[in-house]
Amino acid sequence: DAKTTQPPSMDCAEGRAANLPCNHSTISGNEYVYWYRQIHSQGPQYIIHGLKNNETNEMASLIITEDRKSSTLILPHATLRDTAVYYCIVREYSSASKIIFGSGTRLSIRP
Amino acid sequence: DAEITQSPRHKITETGRQVTLACHQTWNHNNMFWYRQDLGHGLRLIHYSYGVQDTNKGEVSDGYSVSRSNTEDLPLTLESAASSQTSVYFCASSDGNSPLHFGNGTRLTVT
């Protein structure tokens, strides 16, 4: 499985868009990019995933570069409840896929 | 609704004792995973299973074992608990490329 690199911490003003980058330069053609977040000490929560096209759901948007070596998670209107650690992972499209987490990005939202 | 539950939520044990943490999912997922998370760090993969009778070692498997006798359960056993195994343990399940579903965690303290 490809590894990912994320900045250890970021902050964003409440109401603004939060843009969280992720580098996955060794991603292979059959690997998807997934984003999760962990609020305080709860179990991680799925946010969004994609292969090569940009994706949007009710929580966030995912922008994947054309060469697929990096991606950006966008929280369009950040709120205090979005304060969490955000994890970017890559995994194969198969049932037999080991899932490894990196250190993530700690996002702080300022009032 | 389908869910994944972990028990106990909190456990205190003594060094050298055998401890088993339970994980039960009703998603009917083939893939199940155990992670540990130490204070201020990301998740590290301990063991994982792709189906009944299948188990695999993860990044930090020493001192831990799992067994998969049915689809719903993947108990994690610490053969002889050590203080270095004090941590929060998360169980997760998935199928194919579906997102991981996490339990709420078990906080284990080894004294």
Side-chain angles (χ1 to χ4, degrees):
Chain A
D1 292 332
K3 292 186 178 180
T4 62
T5 304
Q6 299 177 251
S9 63
M10 295 181 63
D11 64 59
C12 176
E14 189 175 19
R16 303 296 296 269
N19 296 277
L20 292 88
C22 180
N23 180 284
H24 32 79
S25 57
T26 60
I27 192 170
S28 61
N30 61 347
E31 288 183 317
Y32 281 68
V33 180
Y34 283 77
W35 283 84
Y36 293 81
R37 73 179 182 184
Q38 187 175 26
I39 296 173
H40 195 44
S41 56
Q42 299 174 19
Q45 173 192 25
Y46 164 78
I47 302 172
I48 198 168
H49 74 282
L51 181 62
K52 54 184 177 182
N53 297 321
N54 298 338
E55 303 287 344
T56 295
N57 63 20
E58 66 278 6
M59 291 181 67
S61 294
L62 173 61
I63 308 297
I64 303 174
T65 58
E66 191 169 345
D67 63 7
R68 302 207 326 119
K69 293 184 177 182
S70 64
S71 61
T72 300
L73 178 74
I74 301 173
L75 308 177
H77 305 286
T79 71
L80 296 178
R81 286 176 293 183
D82 292 321
T83 294
V85 177
Y86 287 77
Y87 296 98
C88 165
I89 66 170
V90 293
R91 58 176 288 202
E92 290 183 7
Y93 186 103
S94 76
S95 59
S97 176
K98 183 173 64 173
I99 301 171
I100 301 292
F101 282 76
S103 299
T105 295
R106 183 173 298 277
L107 177 66
S108 300
I109 306 300
R110 343 182 267 276
Chain B
D1 286 346
E3 60 181 359
I4 180 166
T5 55
Q6 295 183 234
S7 61
R9 291 298 310 276
H10 302 272
K11 175 76 176 177
I12 300 174
T13 191
E14 295 177 342
T15 301
R17 297 255 187 178
Q18 184 182 77
V19 177
T20 296
L21 310 182
C23 175
H24 179 81
Q25 53 99 2
T26 58
W27 292 95
N28 200 34
H29 284 159
N30 286 322
N31 305 335
M32 295 185 73
F33 306 82
W34 273 104
Y35 295 88
R36 64 175 286 176
Q37 186 172 37
D38 301 316
L39 190 63
H41 290 81
L43 297 110
R44 291 186 291 171
L45 182 62
I46 305 172
H47 281 287
Y48 56 103
S49 168
Y50 294 143
V52 177
Q53 303 300 332
D54 177 76
T55 62
N56 305 279
K57 295 181 178 180
E59 305 170 281
V60 290
S61 60
D62 287 349
Y64 303 94
S65 63
V66 293
S67 61
R68 188 87 181 272
S69 58
N70 59 51
T71 300
E72 296 80 17
D73 299 288
L74 186 70
L76 177 71
T77 298
L78 287 69
E79 303 294 343
S80 177
S83 57
S84 60
Q85 294 176 308
T86 292
S87 189
V88 180
Y89 291 84
F90 289 101
C91 179
S93 72
S94 76
D95 226 356
N97 73 331
S98 69
L100 284 170
H101 296 268
F102 280 87
N104 287 324
T106 294
R107 185 175 298 274
L108 177 68
T109 302
V110 183
T111 61

